[in-house]
Amino acid sequence: MKHQLNAVLFDLDGTLLDTAPDMARAANRVLADHQIPPLTPAQIQANTSYGANGLLAAGFGTIPDHLDPQALRLQFLEYYLNNICLETATYHGIDSLLRYLKENSIPWGIMTNKPGFLTQQLLPFFPELNEAEVIVCGDTLAKAKPHPDPLWHACELLKVAPQHCLYVGDIEKDMIAARSAGMPGAVAGWGYIGMEHTPHLWQADIILAEPAALIQLLEQQNRNGRPFFNQSCYS
């Protein structure tokens, strides 16, 4: 499949930002309150992109009947909000990628399932991310990913047709959303995934090993007029 790329949308957690240390800390505090052992590194790696629910489900296994899952989530959110950026950082190469997009007048934005109040609290720590032309969060609309509405909304704000906007994310749900929206999808291979998650089965247009691989793709478009998505950049 070939698409002329005129814009790029990014997921946030596991794509632009490594939020795992701070999210795991909040989850572990909730677990400790209920005498549950902390998450293992493997559990953190596999579940951070699924937010509070994913991390807590991994820690508890099965949440006991006497505990309210929604109350646990609110407890997590309170801990996380109070220490939202102690160790969170952009992934290596993201700054260069965003600088490339800016220098080449390629509009970009953020489409995340992270709630708006958390996103708004976190982004000021990263001035480069505040340059996003659109920011659509998990509660911006009535429906969140994998429903295509948020991606369509972001494309409308960017004034670009979905088929000409690449969506970059690190979980299968991101690729499902991209396909549903009629957008090309790229897996952020540097995020919270490994080959054990079988990203090659997610029907993505491309798997990027590092942010620089997207720069190479766009450079190829500049040279040839159209980028090619029939070869994986995963290594």
Side-chain angles (χ1 to χ4, degrees), residues 44-59:
I44 295 169
Q45 173 77 10
N47 292 282
T48 295
S49 285
Y50 299 96
N53 293 336
L55 289 167
L56 293 177

Side-chain angles (χ1 to χ4, degrees), residues 67-148:
L67 295 179
D68 178 5
Q70 181 61 18
L72 293 174
R73 182 176 183 274
L74 292 175
Q75 189 179 6
F76 168 94
L77 293 175
E78 181 178 358
Y79 285 142
Y80 181 49
L81 184 62
N82 289 334
N83 294 282
I84 199 168
C85 194
L86 298 182
E87 298 181 69
T88 292
T90 55
Y91 283 100
H92 177 72
I94 288 296
D95 288 355
S96 296
L97 171 56
L98 298 183
R99 185 163 54 250
Y100 176 88
L101 296 177
K102 180 178 181 179
E103 291 174 351
N104 288 272
S105 301
I106 300 172
W108 67 275
I110 297 170
M111 197 284 106
T112 174
N113 268 6
K114 204 178 193 77
F117 76 99
L118 292 177
T119 304
Q120 293 166 7
Q121 183 79 9
L122 180 58
L123 290 187
F125 289 95
F126 303 95
E128 64 273 34
L129 299 188
N130 283 290
E131 295 188 10
E133 296 192 30
V134 301
I135 299 173
V136 178
C137 300
D139 51 4
T140 299
L141 303 178
K143 296 178 180 178
K145 292 182 301 185
H147 197 278

Side-chain angles (χ1 to χ4, degrees), residues 148-170:
D149 275 0
L151 287 174
W152 284 334
H153 180 60
C155 287
E156 183 178 359
L157 294 175
L158 284 174
K159 296 181 173 57
V160 62
Q163 64 267 30
H164 298 304
C165 183
L166 179 69
Y167 187 53
V168 185
D170 71 306

Side-chain angles (χ1 to χ4, degrees), residues 1-11 107-111 134 145-156 158 160-169 174-187 202-206 229:
M1 182 183 300
K2 300 178 182 179
H3 297 276
Q4 180 75 27
L5 295 183
N6 298 327
V8 183
L9 287 170
F10 297 95
D11 180 41
W108 67 275
I110 297 170
M111 197 284 106
V134 301
K145 292 182 301 185
H147 197 278
D149 275 0
L151 287 174
W152 284 334
H153 180 60
C155 287
E156 183 178 359
L158 284 174
V160 62
Q163 64 267 30
H164 298 304
C165 183
L166 179 69
Y167 187 53
V168 185
D174 294 330
M175 298 303 101
I176 294 172
R179 290 199 306 276
S180 298
M183 299 173 60
V187 175
W202 294 355
Q203 299 182 53
D205 289 282
I206 197 165
F229 288 110

